[in-house]
Each structure stands twice: as structure tokens, then as C-alpha cells.
Amino acid sequence: MPAWWWAAAAALIVATASVVWLARDRSAPAPAIAVGPAPGVTATPPIASTPPAATGQPRVTPAPVVLATITLFGPVVRDAAQIPVLSIPAGQGLVRVEVALQDGDVFPTYRAEITTQSGAAVFSAGRLPPSTSASGRTVVTELAADRLPNGTYLVTVYGVRADLAITLVTYSFRVTR
């Protein structure tokens, strides 16, 4: 074969490769370039005198942080020295209270009430579904940590069927901060 044929074939291969390269390069997204202040320079964020205009989309609020959890199960403790202690760290967030259910305590929903030792209502939640945890079936409720200052509390769980609520268990626990 003549030499010009080999040259034409090589030129055709180079042209095809160039077209493919350029087409791939143009379809690729442009690289992101970070622009910021020069090293050692701190920029002051702008302060707006009015809030930004509403976009019509709801604000997404992050879920509150659970600061502490107490799981109450087993026999009810009557001795004050053996009452479980819930230590709540400083900060804003939730406290999770889990109460274990006995095998026969099967109801469509449950209600949990937390009161002070003197009987003052602190928190109540109804229509709670049963949950499953490492300690078995439980009723779980969460409340704001600031609703439980230092002190001793009672949590009572009721099984609810239709309009009938049956007391299942009452546990004491102590809060320290």
C-alpha cells in the first residue's frame, strides 16, 4: 500500500479522537472554583436590617437533640436509695423516657403521665404506640428537658382501649442536673 494511504488513515484517527475529546470535554460540568478571602484575611458577614423575603417554601427546622434517656423496667422500686437517676446535661433539647411493658400489657395505644412526687402534673402524652427496644416492648415519650428540674418524679403508663384507660405501671425516677 502506498504511504499516503497510511498518512490518511492516521489523520482520520487523530481527527476522530479530537472530535470525541472535544465533545466529552464540553459535556463535562465546569470545575468548581472556590473563591474566598486571601489567607489571613477574615471577612465580616453582611448584616441585613430586614429578614430575607419569604420564598413560599416552609422552613426546615432541625429535630431537637435528645440530651438524656432513661429506661424503666423490672420490679417497681420503693426504696429511695434505689430509685433510678436521670442525669440531664446542660443545654436545650429533649429527654426520652422509656417504660418497659409486661408481656400481657397489649393495647392499641398507651398514655404516659409524668408528675412530681407531690402529684403536680408535669407532662402527659396520649395515643402512644408501643415501640421495640433492647429491653423489649416499651412506651416511649419525649419532653423538653427544661420541664424536669432537679427532683423526684413519677411516670405512670396506662393501656388505652376505646375510652377505657387501665393503669399498667408507675415508676419513680430522680433528675439531677
Side-chain angles (χ1 to χ4, degrees), residues 97-174:
V97 178
E98 297 180 6
V99 178
L101 296 170
Q102 300 297 319
D103 291 337
D105 295 339
V106 179
F107 290 85
T109 60
Y110 298 86
R111 187 174 85 223
E113 294 178 354
I114 299 176
T115 60
T116 63
Q117 200 170 20
S118 63
V122 174
F123 178 79
S124 180
R127 296 187 177 154
L128 299 170
S131 299
T132 304
S133 70
S135 58
R137 288 175 14 99
T138 61
V139 172
V140 178
T141 188
E142 294 178 341
L143 67 149
D146 59 0
R147 297 192 65 183
L148 294 174
N150 287 336
T152 301
Y153 297 89
L154 301 172
V155 58
T156 303
V157 174
Y158 302 87
V160 180
R161 184 174 291 123
D163 288 334
L164 179 65
I166 299 171
T167 303
L168 300 178
V169 67
T170 299
Y171 283 106
S172 298
F173 65 97
R174 186 175 17 256

Side-chain angles (χ1 to χ4, degrees), residues 17-74:
S18 298
V19 168
V20 170
W21 178 262
L22 288 174
R24 185 189 66 81
D25 194 36
R26 287 187 183 167
S27 65
I33 299 173
V35 178
V41 176
T42 58
T44 305
I47 298 174
S49 60
T50 60
T55 61
Q57 295 183 1
R59 268 192 189 177
V60 177
T61 306
V65 175
V66 175
L67 298 175
T69 300
I70 187 167
T71 302
L72 303 166
F73 59 93

